[in-house]
Every structure is written in structure tokens, then in C-alpha cells.
Amino acid sequence: MGVLHELQGRYQDAADHHEQAVELFRAVGDVHGEADVLNNLGIVQELLEDYQASIERYQQALALYRQTGHTVGEASALGNLGIVLARLGDHAAAAARFEQTLALFRRLGHTGGEAHALSNLGDALCHQGEYEEAAEHQRQALGHFRRTGEPYGEAGALNGLGEALHGAGRYIEALDAHASALEVARGIGEQEEQARAHIGAALVRQGGGERAQAVDHLRQALSLYTALGSPRAEEARKMLLSVTAG
């Protein structure tokens, strides 16, 4: 139920269900179940921008995974911890976590996990100005996601690729990547990546002096984030006001 609510964008409902599940798993002494739910709870708390709580949940899950020798869980928790660190602006620390995650998934031969780690590492490198390297990581991730048939990851990698290409000054390619991300995300009803695609396209359009197109993308991003009840709606609103005022 918690995972389903998260996919529907009902983050607080998801958190409530995960909290109940953690208590139940603890009551019966199911360490694996407890670790998995703590990991999922951390994801939801990150989406709700309760970053400190999210970090604590990931660290708790990581300790349990290591205690039980659950390497896939360890890699997942490390990757999720990296995502929160990136949200807090510590992209160097985030990249270090993603590199650990990538090494673990490659050792396990876990293609899906490797793809997510590559995409997350690409995002971290992009924020550090390493645009070409970031784009290459996203391309590798994109290939894995397409081979394994994971459209959610594909949409994220395409958005990450668009952001890296934008940073590298390759604006037409960046717009194409965001347009592809939007198409894939719409196909699976994934609103978060749809909004991210609109934000990415708006930034490219704004930089090219295409104010009307930028405003349209920002309005759509704001609508999506508002429907999700996401705290990121406020960021989109501020961007929209800045563009319209300018």
C-alpha cells in the first residue's frame, strides 16, 4: 500500500503506511522486512523534503542490510542516501555514494541497479559541471533501461541527459532529450519525471530567449507538482514568477 501510494503521488499516505509496516516487522523480528520498509520510507520522506528523517531511515536500513549480508539492499540504501545528499547540495558526497553503489551492483551483475547508479552518478557529475562525463553516464544508463524494459528509469536518464547536454551548451539535443523523457513519462503516468522534463525544457527555452515557450512549460510543471502535493511546486512557482516578471 505504501509503495502504491508513493507511485500515485500520495506521499503522506505512503509514509503513514510505511511507518505502520516498520512497527509490524519489528514486532515479529523480520529484519529483512524492516530494512526494506525503512528504505522505502526514506524515499517518501525525501519526496516530502524531510531530508534529515530520510537520511536517518536510510542509515538504519543500511546498518540492517550490512548486518544480514544483504548486498543488494546495501547498494540500494547507499544509492538512496546519495540522492538525499544531492538534494542537500552536497554533490561530491552524493557522487561518492553512487560510485559505491555502482561498484556493488556491477559486482553482483545487477543490470537494473547498475543503470540507476549510473544515472544518479550522472546527475551528481552534472551538478559539479562535468557535463560531458555526466552525459556519457546517462547514455549508458539509458541503454540498460531500454534493454531491461524499465520506462521509469528511461525517463529519468533522458531528463538527466537533457540537463547535462544543456550544461554543455548543446541546446537542441537537450530539448530532444527532455521531449523524449516527457513522452516516456506520460506513457506510464509518471508525473514527477513529466514535471522534471517541463522544467528542463523551460530552462533551455528561457536561455534561448523563448519566453512564451518557457512559461508554458513552467505552468505545466507547476500543475503537475501541485497535483502531486509536492514541495517542489513552490520552486516551480518562483521560476514562473521570475520568467513572467522578466
Side-chain angles (χ1 to χ4, degrees), residues 135-201:
E136 180 54 33
H137 278 74
Q138 298 293 2
R139 290 190 191 96
Q140 291 180 42
L142 188 57
H144 286 326
F145 285 130
R146 285 174 171 166
R147 282 191 293 275
T148 57
E150 190 176 341
Y152 172 78
E154 182 181 350
L158 282 164
N159 272 327
L161 178 59
E163 290 157 6
L165 291 170
H166 182 199
R170 294 157 65 179
Y171 305 124
I172 294 175
E173 293 174 77
L175 284 174
D176 286 344
H178 286 305
S180 296
L182 184 60
E183 181 180 358
V184 172
R186 279 176 173 163
I188 58 172
E190 214 298 311
Q191 293 178 290
E192 190 83 23
E193 290 297 341
Q194 288 180 56
R196 182 183 176 190
H198 282 300
I199 292 288

